[in-house]
Amino acid sequence: MPFPFLPAFTIMLYLQVKYGLDMWAVLGIGVAGSILGRYILTLYIPHLSAKVFKPAKNADVQFLGEKLKAKGWRSQAAIVTYSLLPLPTTPLFLAGGMARIRPLYIIPAFFVGKLTSDSVALSMGGYAAKNLGSLRASVFSWQSIVGLSASLLLLFVLLFVDWRSLIEKKAFRLDFNIFK
């Protein structure tokens, strides 16, 4: 999905709790599904972005992708770190796809981060499912609102910041005229 959707671990947790499935089997299949979905996203998003966004915005994100590839192991460490955070990884793969970064450059680091973070999430989720009554009150907590806000902010930053101007000229510019 090219926009924030339910995190995969919530679907995995639901299936694990509802049907009493083995956590490790759910984790393996769920992470594999996440990787497949992100792979497909990186394949079709360059074609979709070419139809939706102006060429200047696509060139801007491609420039950002080239800078990401030039960082080598530091980029891989950043991808792992980002995948460990409780933030949607859709913006990462949108940027990678729009920048035409080969999916195999992003996926190994994403796999390490997702496997780790989803295993922690499933473990904690299993505990939470057993203690559901006390947790219901926090569904609309400040943490869930902050998570959604952070996701929307990341998409905003990816799309509306003029990255070329920021990196090359050290000048911060916003460009809201990105659609055809």
Side-chain angles (χ1 to χ4, degrees):
M1 295 252 163
F3 53 86
F5 191 63
L6 284 177
F9 79 87
T10 59
I11 297 166
M12 290 188 275
L13 181 62
Y14 172 78
L15 294 172
Q16 177 192 0
V17 171
K18 175 79 174 167
Y19 300 107
L21 301 174
D22 178 60
M23 182 187 103
W24 298 108
V26 171
L27 181 67
I29 293 168
V31 170
S34 290
I35 289 171
L36 179 62
R38 296 306 195 268
Y39 177 75
I40 292 169
L41 174 67
T42 58
L43 294 180
Y44 80 77
I45 202 65
H47 307 292
L48 183 64
S49 68
K51 292 179 173 127
V52 175
F53 300 114
K54 288 186 174 185
K57 177 43 67 180
N58 281 310
D60 190 35
V61 174
Q62 286 176 10
F63 174 76
L64 185 61
E66 290 302 318
K67 289 294 184 184
L68 180 68
K69 283 194 288 190
K71 299 288 185 190
W73 69 268
R74 286 178 274 163
S75 294
Q76 297 298 307
I79 292 168
V80 168
T81 302
Y82 185 83
S83 298
L84 288 170
L85 297 173
L87 296 171
T89 54
T90 300
L92 174 69
F93 282 87
L94 278 173
M98 286 175 70
R100 291 179 166 72
I101 295 174
R102 287 187 19 233
L104 292 178
Y105 183 81
I106 301 171
I107 287 174
F110 170 73
F111 170 76
V112 170
K114 261 339 227 185
L115 186 66
T116 305
S117 65
D118 284 355
S119 64
V120 170
L122 286 178
S123 296
M124 292 184 343
Y127 172 80
K130 293 175 186 163
N131 300 294
L132 192 59
S134 63
L135 297 173
R136 278 204 174 118
S138 64
V139 170
F140 292 106
S141 66
W142 67 270
Q143 292 98 332
S144 64
I145 293 169
V146 167
L148 176 61
S149 300
S151 171
L152 293 174
L153 177 66
L154 286 171
L155 284 174
F156 176 88
V157 167
L158 171 67
L159 294 176
F160 299 115
V161 170
D162 183 351
W163 289 101
R164 185 174 302 242
S165 173
L166 182 64
I167 293 172
E168 287 182 337
K169 301 174 187 168
K170 308 280 189 257
F172 180 77
R173 272 191 43 214
L174 294 175
D175 182 10
F176 297 104
N177 190 16
I178 63 169
F179 298 104
K180 285 185 175 181

